[in-house]
Amino acid sequence: MRIGLSHARARTIFARLFKAALEAVDPYRAVLRDTRMRRGALLVGPHRYRLSKYRRIVVIGAGKASARMAQGLEHVLGPKIDGGLVVVKYGHRLPTRTVRVVEAAHPVPDRAGLEAGRQLLDLAGTLTGGDLLIVLLSGGASSLLPVPAPGLSLEDKQATTQLLLRSGATIQEVNTVRKHVSSFKGGRLAAATKASVVTLVLSDVIGDDLGSIGSGPTAPDDTTFGEAWAIVRRYRLDAAIPRAVRRHLLQGMHGRREETPTSGSTVFARVRHHVIGSNRVALEAASKAAVRSGLCTMVASSTLTGEAREVAKVFGAVSREIAHYGRPMRRPCCFLAGGELTVTVSGHGRGGRAQEFSLAAVPEIAGLKRVWIAGFATDGSDGPTDVAGAVVGGDTAARSMRHKVDPARALLGNDAYTFFDRAGGHIKTGPTGTNVNDLYFLLAL
């Protein structure tokens, strides 16, 4: 199959790969694939729940994909659902029949999320041992359910979240702190109800760690107040975080606050989890689509981490190796990876992980012919922006000069959004209804 060499052709291939990846982790399809009714029982993966045992079936949850997950569960269970509530990011609302959907802010929480979180806790608290609680979790749940621990305010959590997100801390580190300033996270939701709990998870966390996805509201948490405080100190935030948060964490370190329930807690004897989708699944689907497009394909990793601009240098080095020496693959080829990169914010611009990765790749592949690199956020919203990511090519550096924007200056100011808005290259999908981290592609034709 002869593949055209234009930039338009490259974007067409990228779109095909993105589409395949998103279809593989569509929450509605994933719920239908992994849950089904059979002879009066709900089958969730290998587990069986005979519905006649339960007085009520209630559905709650949060995350960018939780409304789509709720639609799937309503298709499976229909009128057997007695009600529920899920919380999504603004703009991600979808129509449902029984489960109510509300919107709140992400990544910095707001009062809508606070109120929704309190309602979820209250609803879970009304359930008894004769009820079944189905929890739907996907990426974004941590920010969408900001129920502070006693003595803390929403403003305390907002300020702490902003500082952590700008510090360069990993999502696991951010969530460790979040769990210890929350009434919801770190297994506290499971502890707040007496119902049997089954949690369906669309994973946006490296390695699908249940304690990190949505900060693990129904999962054991073996982190401690001491570890949370160490993270605050590591990123030199101890003087910057609100006084009430500092006092709360220090009190916890000295045993004056209750730790989150650990893996040894009896709470989790009535809790089960099932992962219905992940970055690995999306990456495998994209790889198969690349093969169908006639490309030699290599999947590097689905657990990619590190600073976005540093990982871009690695992709640049692979690009040059392919362009100059035909290794590790010969053209036409596609090099793929997935995961969650980090952006340490020092400037005042706009952007996200995927855009910063692509921007940092501009000088790395400048002048290379028939080479493109793309970063793509699977939820369709890269950072606090309205785009999913960006595509750059060997000609982007030259094109940016014509548009009078400097990639180095934009990178210094963490202003990838403005750069691509002027120079071109943004990927716009709108909300995708799913979220399994990011995808990073290198295409050489």
Side-chain angles (χ1 to χ4, degrees):
M1 173 183 177
R2 186 178 183 277
I3 298 179
L5 305 179
S6 68
H7 182 75
R9 177 59 175 164
R11 286 191 70 102
T12 297
I13 293 173
F14 280 133
R16 186 178 302 150
L17 304 191
F18 298 152
K19 183 174 184 290
L22 291 175
E23 287 179 349
V25 291
D26 176 78
Y28 183 89
R29 298 183 187 187
V31 169
L32 264 58
R33 183 180 62 233
D34 287 12
T35 67
R36 59 197 182 280
M37 286 293 299
R38 181 179 295 172
R39 297 178 181 176
L42 173 66
L43 305 184
V44 182
H47 302 299
R48 182 183 184 90
Y49 299 86
R50 183 158 295 283
L51 298 188
S52 60
K53 285 179 51 180
Y54 302 106
R55 185 172 61 93
R56 285 188 292 172
I57 300 173
V58 173
V59 178
I60 64 174
K64 299 171 188 176
S66 60
R68 185 76 169 145
M69 295 169 76
Q71 287 181 326
L73 199 59
E74 286 182 338
H75 181 88
V76 174
L77 287 174
K80 294 180 176 63
I81 297 174
D82 292 290
L85 171 66
V86 297
V87 191
V88 299
K89 181 179 177 178
Y90 289 117
H92 290 241
R93 184 195 299 269
L94 294 170
T96 50
R97 296 192 301 273
T98 307
V99 180
R100 188 160 62 95
V101 179
V102 300
E103 294 179 314
H106 176 281
V108 179
D110 68 356
R111 292 204 170 273
L114 172 62
E115 179 58 29
R118 286 172 173 166
Q119 290 181 34
L120 289 185
L121 273 178
D122 289 345
L123 180 56
T126 67
L127 302 181
T128 70
D131 298 322
L132 178 63
L133 178 64
I134 303 178
V135 181
L136 308 178
L137 281 185
S138 66
S142 290
S143 299
L144 293 167
L145 296 173
V147 186
L152 302 181
S153 68
L154 174 63
E155 290 73 21
D156 291 332
K157 291 201 69 175
Q158 287 173 324
T160 303
T161 299
Q162 286 177 317
L163 287 166
L164 287 164
L165 291 174
R166 294 176 67 89
S167 71
T170 67
I171 190 61
Q172 289 80 7
E173 290 172 324
V174 173
N175 284 347
T176 294
V177 178
R178 280 171 163 169
K179 291 175 186 179
H180 288 86
V181 295
S182 173
S183 293
F184 198 95
K185 301 171 175 63
R188 295 191 189 276
L189 172 60
T193 186
K194 295 177 180 173
S196 296
V197 180
V198 55
T199 302
L200 301 181
V201 179
L202 189 74
S203 173
D204 70 330
V205 169
I206 300 295
D208 303 337
D209 173 27
L210 297 174
S212 294
I213 301 164
S215 297
T218 60
D221 177 40
D222 291 321
T223 67
T224 65
F225 276 102
E227 289 172 275
W229 180 247
I231 290 165
V232 169
R233 292 288 303 274
R234 184 177 307 139
Y235 293 97
R236 300 179 181 178
L237 301 177
D238 42 316
I241 61 172
R243 183 179 303 174
V245 173
R246 183 166 59 250
R247 182 172 60 249
H248 177 83
L249 293 177
L250 290 173
Q251 287 175 343
M253 278 183 62
H254 293 97
R256 296 200 295 273
R257 297 278 183 176
E258 186 179 1
E259 286 282 5
T260 50
T262 67
S263 52
S265 172
T266 57
V267 165
F268 302 107
R270 51 184 171 79
V271 179
R272 288 172 174 162
H273 295 81
H274 185 69
V275 177
I276 64 172
S278 66
N279 186 271
R280 178 185 57 81
V281 173
L283 196 57
E284 288 175 355
S287 175
K288 291 176 182 177
V291 170
R292 290 194 298 269
S293 296
L295 303 173
C296 177
T297 304
M298 177 181 293
V299 175
S301 174
S302 63
T303 61
L304 197 63
T305 59
E307 280 284 338
R309 60 185 66 191
E310 296 302 320
V311 175
K313 292 179 181 178
V314 176
F315 271 66
V318 175
S319 300
R320 295 190 296 274
E321 198 73 11
I322 291 170
H324 298 320
Y325 306 112
R327 62 189 185 197
M329 298 178 288
R330 292 189 178 276
R331 304 175 192 253
C333 61
C334 186
F335 180 82
L336 309 92
E340 184 167 24
L341 303 183
T342 302
V343 175
T344 300
V345 179
S346 56
H348 300 284
R350 295 178 65 200
R353 298 184 301 255
Q355 290 169 86
E356 176 131 338
F357 164 83
S358 297
L359 175 61
V362 171
E364 301 297 325
I365 62 172
L368 294 183
K369 297 185 182 301
R370 299 176 286 132
V371 171
W372 297 267
I373 285 176
F376 178 67
T378 56
D379 64 350
S381 178
D382 180 40
T385 73
D386 60 351
V387 302
V391 175
V392 299
D395 63 342
T396 300
R399 189 171 70 249
S400 68
M401 293 179 64
R402 294 196 297 272
H403 289 276
K404 298 181 180 180
V405 284
D406 180 4
R409 185 183 180 91
L411 190 62
L412 185 64
N414 300 114
D415 201 16
Y417 184 91
T418 300
F419 175 87
F420 290 114
D421 190 49
R422 295 179 181 174
H426 268 146
I427 302 168
K428 296 186 178 181
T429 64
T432 64
T434 191
N435 182 23
V436 291
N437 292 130
D438 304 330
L439 299 173
Y440 303 96
F441 298 156
L442 156 62
L443 182 63
L445 301 180

